[in-house]
Amino acid sequence: MAFRPPPLLLLLLWVTGQAAPVAGLGLDTELQIERRFVPDECPRTVRSGDFVRYHYVGTFPDGQKFDSSYDRDSTFNVFVGKGQLIAGMDQALVGMCVNERRFVKIPPKLAYGSEGVSGVIPPDSVLHFDVLLMDIWNSEDQVQVHTYFTPPSCPRTIQVSDFVRYHYNGTFLDGTLFDSSHNRMKTYDTYVGIGWLIPGMDKGLLGMCVGEKRIITIPPFLAYGEEGDGKDIPGQASLVFDVALLDLHNPKDGISIENKVVPENCERRSQSGDFLRYHYNGTLLDGTFFDSSYSRNRTFDTYIGQGYVIAGMDEGLLGVCIGEKRRIVVPPHLGYGEEGRGNIPGSAVLVFDIHVIDFHNPSDSISITSHYKPPDCSVLSKKGDYLKYHYNASLLDGTLLDSTWNLGKTYNIVLGSGQVVLGMDMGLREMCVGEKRTVIIPPHLGYGEAGVDGEVPGSAVLVFDIELLELVAGLPEGYMFIWNGEVSPNLFEEIDKDGNGEVLLEEFSEYIHAQVASGKGKLAPGFDAEMIVKNMFTNQDRNGDGKVTAEEFKLKDQEAKHDEL
């Protein structure tokens, strides 16, 4: 049955007994130390004046236990070399490493001598102690910092009042884990240097770079002191924090911009109210990826300066050129704040690497740049003209969308008939045959927000490089057929060749085509001639019976030279 000393004697033993390992020497009249386990690494050993925390089992030579710190589930904490221990233990602890285990035999003259401790330690007792050292510190210690990984780039280090996000493992000097942010899968987020942390951590974090990893060793008087934290950290415990810094900012920070690529020609820079299309990769300061427009194979499209995006991006996208690449670093108070969003943690600094594809303003019209005009450029295109032209169509970043040259055939339209987007219709006007021009079309005059599925992105500015190859003058607005001379006063009779007083579609069509062939009449170019003639006949067949009579047949009220059926 284990011997349990009364409280007073137990206290005496606490101020007395400790143990350590090195090999046995001589007789029981001398201090003997057996080092039963020595750790591979021993950065520090016990010296006189140090404070130590250790576990021990105290026994007599016959193996009978008289005391154990393990039974109390608490280390024995004491200064070495200051007379707080029996002389043999004071000597036995010197030179020990944390995690070292020593078996110590202490003769009576270095223990309780001929008097012993009444009811606990008999006179002239040899005492055996099995000692495991858990902790060492000295009142002159400071915070120790060991950096074991430094990132290649360190543009900024932690200063007082900065806000940081870091992961850590917290252990005691013997390696026992007492806490870990990794286990919670959440960074520890705090201000530095303003009293939110224990003093040693406040000091140990200063000067750290994002991506840096360091070990911070803190003596108890700069940690939780004599009382501990009341939960996991005992009193007088040295603490070791293995820290990885993920994020760093100051509440006074604005955004930072680093220009990566700026085009040589930058005719226009973005302003508040512009609509931008851009690609981006979004990461945290430590490089952790959280989003990318590239992964969706679609640009991010938005107005800027009007609150459609986070404040930092609203600011960071101002003044960009088309084709520019820049890095925008956004502090959390200009990003997603303390709450974060989705896979973006709270209080996170955001890094956006952007590539501006295009931008425009809703007030923009088309832009026309003429690169070549032939010497004779007097006949200009107008509404109703039939045009044949070649073009290359691209986005503002140069991405080719379409090309008639590649197809080997011209694109043919009637100007003003709605056969092309409004911006193209505007861009082809007042152009002469042989002219070459570039037309830039904003999306509201192009394919709008929807774009063309699989061909033209939504809200895209379009660039057309055009060469006009042929122009056939159109008819006056509202006309699909005109006479090139005087109209015969016996027009109905001329059409009604069989003289039966009725004109069928076949007769009507034959007559109109004959007039066109002889140059006396002209159909609107660019349209289906048979469809025009059929519509003309239908207009004359007022009762819809499939034939036109003299009573139904009338000329359109117009100028003498331009009568249309």
Side-chain angles (χ1 to χ4, degrees):
M1 183 174 181
F3 168 71
R4 292 187 177 275
L8 179 59
L9 293 181
L10 185 59
L11 179 61
L12 287 173
L13 287 172
W14 291 352
V15 180
T16 306
Q18 330 287 321
V22 171
L25 312 168
L27 303 174
D28 286 347
T29 58
E30 301 297 330
L31 176 69
Q32 298 180 46
I33 299 173
E34 177 187 349
R35 304 183 75 180
R36 291 188 171 178
F37 175 78
V38 180
D40 293 334
E41 295 185 7
C42 183
R44 176 177 185 173
T45 60
V46 177
R47 295 182 299 177
S48 181
D50 285 346
F51 191 93
V52 295
R53 295 172 50 246
Y54 61 92
H55 272 301
Y56 71 90
V57 176
T59 62
F60 298 115
D62 64 359
Q64 181 183 357
K65 181 171 68 171
F66 62 82
D67 193 19
S68 173
S69 63
Y70 296 101
D71 292 343
R72 295 185 292 277
D73 196 27
S74 175
T75 56
F76 189 71
N77 307 334
V78 69
F79 282 100
V80 176
K82 293 189 176 184
Q84 297 178 0
L85 295 164
I86 57 176
M89 186 60 79
D90 248 349
Q91 296 176 35
L93 290 171
V94 172
M96 271 190 95
C97 307
V98 171
N99 283 328
E100 183 176 342
R101 185 180 174 200
R102 288 185 175 184
F103 186 73
V104 182
K105 295 181 181 180
I106 302 178
K109 67 180 181 180
L110 297 178
Y112 295 100
S114 60
E115 295 186 4
V117 177
S118 178
V120 181
I121 307 293
D124 297 316
S125 293
V126 175
L127 305 181
H128 294 181
F129 289 93
D130 191 345
V131 180
L132 178 62
L133 187 64
M134 310 296 287
D135 199 343
I136 315 172
W137 58 270
N138 191 283
S139 57
E140 296 181 358
D141 285 350
Q142 297 297 320
V143 174
Q144 298 177 39
V145 174
H146 168 62
T147 296
Y148 63 92
F149 177 78
T150 302
S153 174
C154 182
R156 177 178 183 175
T157 61
I158 297 176
Q159 306 295 321
V160 170
S161 81
D162 282 345
F163 191 92
V164 297
R165 296 174 50 247
Y166 61 91
H167 271 303
Y168 71 89
N169 285 324
T171 63
F172 302 121
L173 272 187
D174 69 337
T176 301
L177 182 73
F178 64 82
D179 191 20
S180 174
S181 64
H182 297 282
N183 290 347
R184 294 188 294 275
M185 298 183 68
K186 188 179 188 303
T187 56
Y188 192 79
D189 307 341
T190 184
Y191 286 97
V192 177
I194 63 172
W196 285 29
L197 295 163
I198 56 175
M201 191 59 117
D202 254 346
K203 184 175 181 180
L205 289 171
L206 292 176
M208 204 170 178
C209 306
V210 171
E212 183 178 338
K213 297 180 181 180
R214 60 171 57 171
I215 293 174
I216 303 171
T217 304
I218 304 174
F221 54 85
L222 294 175
Y224 293 96
E226 295 182 6
E227 302 300 323
D229 71 345
K231 297 179 293 183
D232 303 311
I233 299 174
Q236 302 290 27
S238 301
L239 305 181
V240 180
F241 291 92
D242 192 340
V243 178
L245 184 62
L246 273 66
D247 203 335
L248 157 67
H249 78 277
N250 192 282
K252 297 179 181 179
D253 287 348
I255 65 168
S256 69
I257 295 174
E258 179 184 356
N259 290 322
K260 298 288 189 178
V261 176
V262 179
E264 292 183 5
N265 296 321
C266 182
E267 298 178 356
R268 176 178 177 178
R269 292 184 179 271
S270 60
Q271 298 178 345
S272 180
D274 284 346
F275 190 91
L276 263 71
R277 296 175 54 247
Y278 63 95
H279 272 301
Y280 70 89
N281 283 322
T283 62
L284 305 180
L285 262 189
D286 68 340
T288 301
F289 170 87
F290 65 81
D291 193 21
S292 174
S293 63
Y294 296 100
S295 64
R296 294 186 293 274
N297 197 29
R298 190 181 189 285
T299 56
F300 189 80
D301 308 339
T302 185
Y303 287 97
I304 59 169
Q306 297 185 351
Y308 286 88
V309 290
I310 56 175
M313 283 300 277
D314 242 355
E315 181 182 352
L317 290 169
L318 294 174
V320 296
C321 304
I322 292 166
E324 183 173 340
K325 296 181 179 180
R326 65 168 51 173
R327 172 169 288 180
I328 304 170
V329 180
V330 181
H333 49 277
L334 297 175
Y336 291 102
E338 295 181 2
E339 300 302 319
R341 180 177 178 180
N343 58 349
I344 298 174
S347 300
V349 178
L350 308 179
V351 180
F352 292 93
D353 288 304
I354 69 159
H355 180 198
V356 181
I357 303 302
D358 76 29
F359 65 83
H360 72 280
N361 193 282
S363 63
D364 287 349
S365 186
I366 65 168
S367 167
I368 298 176
T369 302
S370 184
H371 304 291
Y372 172 77
K373 288 186 178 182
D376 182 7
C377 190
S378 56
V379 178
L380 303 179
S381 57
K382 63 184 185 305
K383 184 177 181 180
D385 287 351
Y386 181 60
L387 307 182
K388 294 184 178 181
Y389 60 94
H390 271 306
Y391 70 82
N392 282 327
S394 61
L395 302 178
L396 273 183
D397 67 345
T399 301
L400 185 66
L401 300 175
D402 192 17
S403 173
T404 58
W405 277 289
N406 291 346
L407 297 174
K409 61 179 182 180
T410 59
Y411 198 77
N412 309 328
I413 68 159
V414 176
L415 200 54
S417 64
Q419 296 176 355
V420 291
V421 295
L422 181 57
M424 190 63 161
D425 203 297
M426 297 165 64
L428 287 168
R429 301 201 181 197
E430 298 185 357
M431 192 174 184
C432 61
V433 173
E435 184 177 345
K436 298 178 182 179
R437 60 171 56 171
T438 297
V439 180
I440 300 176
I441 303 173
H444 49 276
L445 298 175
Y447 292 100
E449 295 182 6
V452 179
D453 189 31
E455 298 182 37
V456 180
S459 300
V461 178
L462 305 178
V463 180
F464 286 90
D465 291 309
I466 301 168
E467 180 180 1
L468 184 59
L469 299 179
E470 186 176 338
L471 184 158
V472 179
L475 304 186
E477 187 171 353
Y479 292 83
M480 299 301 287
F481 174 83
I482 62 171
W483 296 98
N484 288 327
E486 295 297 330
V487 182
S488 170
N490 300 315
L491 183 57
F492 181 80
E493 287 76 11
E494 291 181 9
I495 299 174
D496 183 19
K497 290 186 177 180
D498 59 7
N500 65 353
E502 297 176 345
V503 174
L504 301 178
L505 176 59
E506 292 76 10
E507 292 178 287
F508 187 85
S509 177
E510 182 181 347
Y511 181 82
I512 294 299
H513 284 301
Q515 303 309 303
V516 171
S518 66
K520 295 180 180 180
K522 182 178 180 181
L523 291 168
F527 296 99
D528 185 335
E530 292 300 330
M531 185 60 67
I532 294 176
V533 172
K534 185 176 181 180
N535 287 339
M536 291 169 62
F537 179 83
T538 300
N539 289 338
Q540 294 296 323
D541 181 16
R542 304 181 193 283
N543 61 9
D545 63 356
K547 54 190 176 183
V548 178
T549 64
E551 289 75 20
E552 292 176 301
F553 187 79
K554 295 179 182 178
L555 294 176
K556 186 173 182 179
D557 186 20
Q558 59 173 0
E559 295 179 5
K561 191 177 179 181
H562 300 293
D563 292 307
E564 181 182 12
L565 297 177

